[in-house]
Amino acid sequence: MHNATLVFDLDGTLVDTAPDLVAATNHALADLALPPVPAETLRHAIGFGARRMIVVGLKETGVTLDEPEVDRLLARFLAYYEPNIARESRPFEGAIAVLEQFRAEGARLAVCTNKRLALAEQLLAELGVRDLFTAVTGRDSFPVHKPHPDHLIGTIALAGGDRAVAVMVGDTGIDIETARAAGVPSIGCTFGYSDVPVATYDPEAVVETYAELDGAVRRLLARSAASA
């Protein structure tokens, strides 16, 4: 585990952010007097960002808007979400304990998310876990973002890590595709926000709980070392 770099997606992987993101989406849609959209309808759009959640919400209610109006709703979303970012969002069960274990064994931890960097930093700080991570990058940290491989490659570099001993942990096809393009093995989490089973995207390993993550990470790191 020493010198390994473990990179985590944020929404749906480290933190169950769906309740607060859904609340912000419905707050934005309420400006048009639209009814609330169910969480199950919106949660699969979370990995694509706030704008996609708004567009999905509009589609669900049968409304089509031009881009400036969607931008206005996005601004309304963000104005609500920022002060309410951690009202109900919580780390998934067992996540913090295993991350602390990884850190104690010398691993570098990083976050690579399509959330805007300021919001990602704020969420981690409000949850009291920011100090666990050597690097945090968001959709606006680099000229590109997931699924472009340079988002992950840049995150590993920012953490001072090496792709040859890195693992990406995520919950959607975006994460798995990013890792594959970057030449980094990936672990898919079944408890996240993917619209299809995450195993569909063929990650190198799949975990159903954080209790399984330690073993999966060690197996992938051992495989990487054997092939080096």
Side-chain angles (χ1 to χ4, degrees):
M1 196 66 69
H2 183 64
N3 285 333
T5 303
L6 310 180
V7 185
F8 295 81
D9 173 53
L10 183 54
D11 300 273
T13 299
L14 280 175
V15 182
D16 184 7
T17 52
D20 292 323
L21 289 166
V22 169
T25 302
N26 282 322
H27 174 81
L29 297 177
D31 190 57
L32 303 177
L34 297 175
V37 178
E40 279 306 309
T41 300
L42 293 172
R43 63 187 283 117
H44 301 311
I46 288 174
F48 297 93
R51 188 183 189 88
R52 176 71 69 88
M53 293 186 72
I54 291 169
V55 170
V56 169
L58 289 169
K59 182 178 180 180
E60 180 70 12
T61 55
V63 175
T64 302
L65 298 178
D66 57 21
E67 290 299 304
E69 272 296 285
V70 175
D71 289 341
R72 187 181 66 80
L73 291 183
L74 177 59
R76 182 175 170 85
F77 173 106
L78 294 171
Y80 177 89
Y81 184 59
E82 184 175 352
N84 294 285
I85 195 168
R87 177 171 287 187
E88 296 184 59
S89 296
R90 296 292 182 270
F92 284 101
E93 183 177 357
I96 303 310
V98 75
L99 264 59
E100 289 175 340
Q101 174 191 323
F102 289 151
R103 274 285 299 268
E105 293 186 40
R108 295 177 177 86
L109 304 182
V111 170
C112 179
T113 175
N114 274 347
K115 209 180 198 71
R116 298 180 187 204
L117 178 59
L119 291 174
E121 292 274 15
Q122 179 188 346
L123 176 60
L124 292 168
E126 290 199 23
L127 293 175
V129 297
R130 175 60 183 88
D131 290 346
L132 287 173
F133 302 99
T134 305
V136 176
T137 65
R139 70 180 299 113
D140 50 348
S141 294
F142 304 108
V144 295
H145 56 80
K146 296 186 298 184
H148 197 289
D150 286 351
H151 190 176
L152 176 55
I153 292 168
T155 302
I156 295 169
L158 192 62
D162 181 347
R163 267 192 290 169
V165 281
V167 174
M168 174 73 191
V169 183
D171 67 304
T172 70
I174 296 171
D175 302 311
I176 310 308
E177 179 183 344
T178 303
R180 183 174 296 114
V184 173
S186 63
I187 297 174
C189 303
T190 64
F191 46 79
Y193 305 147
S194 180
D195 57 346
V196 299
V198 71
T200 303
Y201 299 106
D202 200 25
E204 279 73 14
V206 174
V207 297
E208 296 185 357
T209 70
Y210 266 92
E212 301 174 1
L213 186 62
D214 179 73
V217 167
R218 292 179 192 278
R219 286 192 295 274
L220 293 188
L221 290 175
R223 188 185 305 174
S224 295
S227 62

